[in-house]
Amino acid sequence: MNTGELRIVEQIKSLIALEVSEFDETTDEGAATVRAFRQALCEPEQVTANFSGGITQDCWTVTYSNGAYRVLFLPTAGYFSLCVESEIGPLDIGVHGKAIGCFSSV
């Protein structure tokens, strides 16, 4: 991994750590959401994501696929995206924002 990629991985991990620390776990639902999110996390890995209009972009997988969805980080936008698994790879479906919010939207 080159220096730029290492910086992106550090940025992703920092953003996720901050989200988890700020997430409201005082309810059973909140605690279960964070627990499931933590279990789904993977080491960030670069992947090509597909967007409408045939556009592709280098992004970073941050959760394992559940067979239908996974969460990616879009470095050019600075936020996370929920992507659906497809025959051509992860496909952005327009759900963007914080990682836990994307993850818990399905």
Side-chain angles (χ1 to χ4, degrees), residues 23-83:
F23 198 82
D24 182 6
E25 295 184 69
T26 60
T27 65
D28 290 342
E29 182 181 346
T33 297
V34 170
R35 189 170 41 256
F37 177 70
R38 283 184 174 135
Q39 289 174 343
L41 284 173
C42 65
E43 188 66 26
E45 182 178 322
Q46 195 168 21
V47 64
T48 300
N50 300 282
F51 296 82
S52 51
I55 298 168
T56 61
Q57 183 179 341
D58 289 335
C59 298
W60 292 80
T61 297
V62 298
T63 65
Y64 292 106
S65 173
N66 69 359
Y69 300 97
R70 68 173 126 163
V71 177
L72 303 182
F73 179 71
L74 287 66
T76 57
Y79 53 68
F80 295 89
S81 170
L82 181 67
C83 290

Side-chain angles (χ1 to χ4, degrees), residues 86-98:
S86 75
E87 291 180 5
I88 59 171
L91 176 63
D92 178 86
I93 57 173
V95 178
H96 302 135
K98 294 186 174 193

